[in-house]
Amino acid sequence: MEQEKLIQESISNWNGNGYSYIDKPTTATGTEATEGRTIAVDPKYIPRAKVGGRWKRATVNISGIGNRVAEDGGKDIEGYDIDVFMGTGKNTIKTWGDMNRTVRLISVN
């Protein structure tokens, strides 16, 4: 299982993009998306699941970006894809491009 592999070691070659919401950014886990904290992930690879009525979200370190929390998802996020929340508004991600980074699991809370 890939999730077990992530828990055991850092994984290189994750594909990433920036994303934004026009307004009222509510994530798949019900939190408010926050720049500098929120990422969207495939929960089969980075833990993000409801357990006993409470959301469990992984905190990961993305090389060159910092620590982020798996709070969101999307139909186009599969496997080794991560989208980093960049804020709200149409012009938020103009300077953001694709990235290829190493991701290391910090914790699951």
Side-chain angles (χ1 to χ4, degrees):
M1 174 184 249
E2 293 297 328
Q3 184 178 12
E4 291 172 1
K5 186 175 181 183
L6 178 61
I7 291 170
Q8 300 296 323
E9 60 188 76
S10 295
I11 305 296
S12 296
N13 301 321
W14 283 78
N15 303 310
N17 288 296
Y19 77 104
S20 67
Y21 287 102
I22 300 301
D23 60 8
K24 299 192 184 207
T26 301
T27 69
T29 61
T31 62
E32 183 175 330
T34 303
E35 184 179 353
R37 182 188 74 203
T38 302
I39 56 173
V41 301
D42 180 341
K44 295 175 192 161
Y45 289 74
I46 295 179
R48 177 182 56 81
K50 205 168 203 176
V51 177
R54 184 176 174 277
W55 280 99
K56 296 283 190 172
R57 301 172 192 93
T59 298
V60 298
N61 180 272
I62 303 170
S63 63
I65 305 254
N67 292 353
R68 297 293 186 271
V69 180
E71 297 179 312
D72 212 354
K75 64 181 174 78
D76 293 331
I77 301 170
E78 296 179 342
Y80 291 106
D81 291 333
I82 293 178
D83 282 0
V84 178
F85 180 70
M86 303 300 292
T88 57
K90 292 179 182 179
N91 297 320
T92 304
I93 59 173
K94 274 191 171 180
T95 60
W96 188 263
D98 291 346
M99 63 178 172
N100 192 335
R101 307 287 178 160
T102 298
V103 175
R104 183 173 54 90
L105 183 71
I106 304 294
S107 65
V108 179
N109 296 315

